[in-house]
Amino acid sequence: GALVPGRILLVTSARKHGYVASPAIVVKSPTVSSISAVGSGSSKTSSGVGKETTVCIVLLPESYVPDNQSDGNGNTKTATLNYIGSAKQRHYAIHEIDVGEIVLVSSFKHKIDSQALFKDKSGPSPGLGMGIGSVRDPFARAKPVGGRRMDDDPFAGMMVRGKKGGGSGPQTAGASSEQSQIDQVMEYLVDAETLEAKSDLGVMDLAECTKGISQGSDDIFEF
C-alpha cells in the first residue's frame, strides 16, 4: 500500500499547524475517524462518513520557534499524538493528517519501528473489556498463586552479588532505542526536504497501489 508505516510524504496544514509541503513519515496507516451522529463535528461529512486520517511525524519548518503555550506539550506525553519534540537540531510534530492534506506520496519507504515512534492511545479504556461475567466472578481480579512470591520473599528483586546495577536498566535502554529511532527518522525527513528543494523527490508509481485490480472495472481501492 501507499500509506504504510515508513512512507515519506509531503503534507500541508497551513491554517491548523502552519506548514506547507513539509516532509512527513507515516507511523500509523489510515483509519476512518469514528462518528456518533450524522452531520455534526469537524470529522464528519455530509454523508455521515468519518474522514480518513493517518498519523505522521512531520518535519517542522526551520523557522519554527517552540512556544510552550501554543505547543501544549505540558499535557502531552512523548511519542503520543500532538507531541512536539526536537532531534538533529530540528523540531518535529506527531500529527493526525487528513488524506486530503497529503500533497505528495513519494517513492521512498523506510524500515521503522512505528510502535517505538508512536504510542497509540486510541485503544479501549481500562475496564471496558470486562463483561458481566467478570463482575459476577469473585475471583476475576484475583492474582495467580505465584503472584504473591514478590511479597512473601524478602530477597525478591535483590541483585546477585557481582552484577553491576548502573543506569542501564530496561527503561534506560528503551529510551535510548527510541531516541535513536527518532534521530534516524529526522535524517530521512531532512534528506527528503533537501530532495524536494531540488525537485528530486521521487513520486510513487500509482501502479504499485493498483496491483491485482482489473483495469476498466468499477472496483474501489484504498490507500
Side-chain angles (χ1 to χ4, degrees), residues 100-120:
E101 297 173 327
I102 298 174
V103 179
L104 178 146
V105 179
S106 81
S107 57
F108 292 93
K109 178 179 172 295
H110 302 284
K111 185 177 181 180
I112 62 172
D113 185 353
S114 57
Q115 293 183 349
L117 293 167
F118 174 58
K119 309 298 184 184
D120 192 358

Side-chain angles (χ1 to χ4, degrees), residues 30-42:
T31 56
V32 177
S33 303
S34 59
I35 60 176
S36 57
V38 176
S40 62
S42 59

Side-chain angles (χ1 to χ4, degrees), residues 4-120:
V4 294
R7 178 72 64 187
I8 297 292
L9 314 172
L10 291 183
V11 298
T12 291
S13 182
R15 292 185 178 180
K16 189 186 300 182
H17 300 298
Y19 47 75
V20 177
S22 290
I25 190 167
V26 177
V27 292
K28 183 182 179 183
S29 297
T31 56
V32 177
S33 303
S34 59
I35 60 176
S36 57
V38 176
S40 62
S42 59
S43 64
K44 288 109 177 168
T45 62
S46 57
S47 61
V49 179
K51 288 184 177 180
E52 195 172 13
T53 59
T54 183
V55 178
C56 299
I57 293 178
V58 184
L59 180 68
L60 298 179
E62 287 187 282
S63 59
Y64 173 80
V65 178
D67 181 354
N68 293 331
Q69 293 182 348
S70 63
D71 292 349
N73 270 354
N75 298 321
T76 306
K77 294 184 179 180
T78 305
T80 58
L81 200 60
N82 296 322
Y83 176 78
I84 295 179
S86 62
K88 297 292 183 179
Q89 299 181 343
R90 291 290 297 270
H91 286 85
Y92 66 90
I94 301 178
H95 285 159
E96 189 175 42
I97 303 296
D98 187 285
V99 292
E101 297 173 327
I102 298 174
V103 179
L104 178 146
V105 179
S106 81
S107 57
F108 292 93
K109 178 179 172 295
H110 302 284
K111 185 177 181 180
I112 62 172
D113 185 353
S114 57
Q115 293 183 349
L117 293 167
F118 174 58
K119 309 298 184 184
D120 192 358

Side-chain angles (χ1 to χ4, degrees), residues 114-139:
S114 57
Q115 293 183 349
L117 293 167
F118 174 58
K119 309 298 184 184
D120 192 358
K121 302 298 182 181
S122 61
S125 301
L128 292 180
M130 295 181 60
I132 297 177
S134 10
V135 176
R136 292 177 179 173
D137 185 359
F139 302 102

